[in-house]
Amino acid sequence: MKSSNLNQNRIVNLSPPSLLALGFLGLIFIGSLLLMLPFAHQTEISWLEAIFTATSAVTITGLSVVNVGEAYTPFGQVVIMFLLQCGGLGFMTFAILAFMSLSPKLGLRQQVMAQESIGQTSLKKVSFTIKAVFLYSLFFEAIGTLILTLAWLEDYPFGEALFYAAFYSVSAFNNGGFSLFPNSLMSFSGQYFVTFTISMLYIIGGIGFLVLMDVKQNKSWRKLSPNSKLILTTIMGLNLSAFIVLWLLEASNPQTLALMSVGDQALNAWFHATVPRSSGFYSLPMDQMSDASSLVTIFLMFIGGGSLSTAGGIKVGTFIIVVISVISFLRREDEIRLFNHSISEKTTFKALAVVCITAGLVMTGFMSLLILEPDHDFLDLLFEAVSAACTVGLTRGVTGELQPASLIILMLMMYAGRLGPLTLAYLIATPKKSRLKHPPSEIQIG
């Protein structure tokens, strides 16, 4: 009895990142077992392929070594959809929702754990935030399912159209990027309802739940928090800038936009300007895009979406804080200001740490791929490394050609990319103060 209590206390005393890490590992393990069941796949699937698919789904990445629509049965596809939902909303959110269903009130320990996992600053708002995350997800996925079902009724029977719509809504809102069609959304590059609906789902999912809650509560730009204003303006600016740049770069490319009408060009340029923010769908052949467009896509993948969202990357808040910090330094300003509010040094250091750690993860994985895959193109492998580490899921067509050791590297990168910012946030949230004061030293920079 004492041993049981001791083991239970050890589990309870685990830090939020440790619980999340174990939770995601558990989901990957269960998902792999389910995908290996005889009635989960209709073609021969290896253990490595099943584990890779489960890892990609739980980390809401979207990279795949098999054709999901052909390799897995409807049961297997439902398993993938469930893993995407769990990975998108976060294991901790589901755990606390389950706990709340058994107990009407969270204890202080559980509230602190939830606070660290979802980035909420007020303990009183933890339960409300988690409920909102769950309800917002169901709401937008239901709207997406309805619109896509209506759009696909012309091509498929009702049951099939409904299943496709539900799968793509979950995959899009959670920025998963998994597709049941062999060429992702290339067959629908001219269908405005389908392409635009899916793009809006992953954009909304990538904004961040706290921002969505703030917009719903205040309904006025003036009343929004500085964080919400920052996220919304940055995402809008990045999307519009990337839209113009990619349209100009690909307008003369006969393999992508050149042969399309102006309307279709605009639609697909918009889609590919917004999709790198963490969703692995594509309506144009990625391997046929120019090197310049691929470089822009890599940059967008590295940035990702908003905090407490289903997107990956370093997050737009991190990106803009670093940019503003550099501008403030060049202007010799005494403080870093944003919407008439100052940004603390701690926030700046945290942003720099996230950028450096993510860049380090990308470079480590990229170097490993270069060593293991000497016959593959440099840009293709860099693209793959950034896509995995930032949990995006876009590829230039090399994922299925990689050897097992390289696939293991990608799985580790996807897993680390999903957990990295959460772990870093927890470490920074618990500062270690020293009683000793050290003398200052001038270090030459630049």
Side-chain angles (χ1 to χ4, degrees):
M1 193 72 177
K2 290 183 179 180
S3 176
S4 176
N5 291 335
L6 182 61
N7 291 333
Q8 188 175 6
N9 289 334
R10 286 177 179 175
I11 294 174
V12 170
N13 290 326
L14 287 174
S15 65
S18 300
L19 282 175
L20 282 168
L22 292 175
F24 282 132
L25 279 177
L27 282 173
I28 291 171
F29 177 73
I30 294 172
S32 301
L33 291 179
L34 291 175
L35 291 176
M36 284 301 294
L37 293 174
F39 50 85
H41 53 89
Q42 47 197 9
T43 61
E44 193 65 29
I45 297 293
S46 68
W47 273 104
L48 180 61
E49 291 170 338
I51 296 172
F52 189 92
T53 302
T55 302
S56 185
V58 170
T59 60
I60 52 172
T61 303
L63 291 175
S64 181
V65 290
V66 298
N67 185 331
V68 173
E70 296 178 357
Y72 296 103
T73 63
F75 173 81
Q77 294 165 8
V78 169
V79 169
I80 293 173
M81 186 164 56
F82 174 75
L83 295 177
L84 285 168
Q85 190 75 78
C86 291
L89 298 186
F91 173 80
M92 184 63 72
T93 303
F94 271 91
I96 295 191
L97 276 173
F99 183 87
M100 288 169 58
S101 67
L102 300 176
S103 174
K105 207 169 191 180
L106 288 176
L108 181 61
R109 172 67 181 174
Q110 287 76 20
Q111 288 192 46
V112 172
M113 290 165 58
Q115 177 189 7
E116 299 293 352
S117 69
I118 66 176
Q120 182 57 272
T121 56
S122 172
L123 288 175
K124 296 180 181 179
K125 294 182 179 179
V126 170
S127 298
F128 176 76
T129 302
I130 292 176
K131 289 178 181 177
V133 167
F134 188 71
L135 293 175
Y136 277 44
S137 299
L138 291 181
F139 173 76
F140 286 112
E141 288 170 1
I143 295 297
T145 300
L146 176 62
I147 296 175
L148 291 176
T149 300
L150 295 175
W152 277 329
L153 276 177
E154 298 180 0
D155 303 315
Y156 305 100
F158 175 76
E160 197 171 353
L162 178 62
F163 182 79
Y164 282 154
F167 186 94
Y168 276 88
S169 293
V170 171
S171 185
F173 184 77
N174 290 288
N175 279 254
F178 273 89
S179 174
L180 298 180
F181 303 113
N183 57 358
S184 192
L185 296 176
M186 288 178 60
S187 299
F188 305 97
S189 60
Q191 295 191 17
Y192 288 46
F193 262 128
V194 173
T195 307
F196 187 73
T197 299
I198 289 177
S199 73
M200 291 309 299
L201 282 171
Y202 61 66
I203 289 174
I204 294 173
I207 287 176
F209 293 103
L210 290 182
V211 177
L212 294 176
M213 291 168 61
D214 192 19
V215 171
K216 181 179 182 297
Q217 182 177 356
N218 292 300
K219 300 181 179 66
S220 170
W221 179 261
R222 184 177 58 83
K223 295 180 180 179
L224 292 180
S225 68
N227 176 71
S228 297
K229 292 179 180 179
L230 172 69
I231 299 301
L232 291 173
T233 53
T234 304
I235 287 179
M236 184 180 301
L238 286 172
N239 286 347
L240 291 177
S241 300
F243 166 66
I244 295 171
V245 170
L246 288 177
W247 194 353
L248 292 175
L249 290 174
E250 295 298 318
S252 59
N253 186 348
Q255 302 298 324
T256 54
L257 297 182
L259 303 182
M260 294 183 177
S261 65
V262 174
D264 287 351
Q265 285 187 6
L267 176 67
N268 288 275
W270 167 259
F271 192 83
H272 277 267
T274 56
V275 82
R277 311 300 298 288
S278 194
S279 180
F281 295 113
Y282 59 89
S283 61
L284 301 172
M286 297 301 303
D287 57 337
Q288 298 299 320
M289 297 181 74
S290 66
D291 290 349
S293 296
S294 296
L295 189 60
V296 171
T297 303
I298 288 174
F299 174 71
L300 295 172
M301 289 194 297
F302 187 78
I303 295 175
S307 298
L308 189 55
S309 73
T310 57
I314 62 171
K315 305 297 190 292
V316 293
T318 303
F319 167 72
I320 203 65
I321 288 298
V322 171
V323 171
I324 293 175
S325 300
V326 172
I327 294 174
S328 297
F329 173 78
L330 294 176
R331 290 179 176 177
R332 299 293 191 268
E333 295 176 344
D334 295 332
E335 62 179 3
I336 302 170
R337 291 185 296 273
L338 178 68
F339 297 113
N340 296 322
H341 288 73
S342 64
I343 306 299
S344 66
E345 287 187 356
K346 180 180 176 181
T347 300
T348 303
F349 291 152
K350 178 181 176 180
L352 289 172
V354 170
V355 171
C356 291
I357 290 176
T358 306
L361 174 63
V362 169
M363 293 310 298
T364 301
F366 177 46
M367 178 64 73
S368 301
L369 292 178
L370 285 175
I371 294 172
L372 293 171
E373 307 287 346
D375 296 331
H376 281 286
D377 184 72
F378 182 92
L379 182 60
D380 289 347
L381 294 181
L382 176 61
F383 197 97
E384 201 82 5
V386 176
S387 182
C390 298
T391 66
V392 179
L394 289 174
T395 178
R396 284 171 59 88
V398 301
T399 310
E401 302 174 359
L402 300 178
Q403 57 178 296
S406 299
L407 295 179
I408 293 174
I409 294 295
L410 290 181
M411 284 191 286
L412 292 174
M413 292 178 71
M414 290 187 287
Y415 184 72
R418 181 67 175 135
L419 293 178
L422 295 172
T423 303
L424 181 64
Y426 179 77
L427 293 175
I428 295 177
T430 54
K432 299 176 178 62
K433 295 183 179 180
S434 174
R435 296 180 179 179
L436 298 176
K437 296 295 181 181
H438 301 86
S441 176
E442 291 293 333
I443 306 297
Q444 297 299 316
I445 303 295

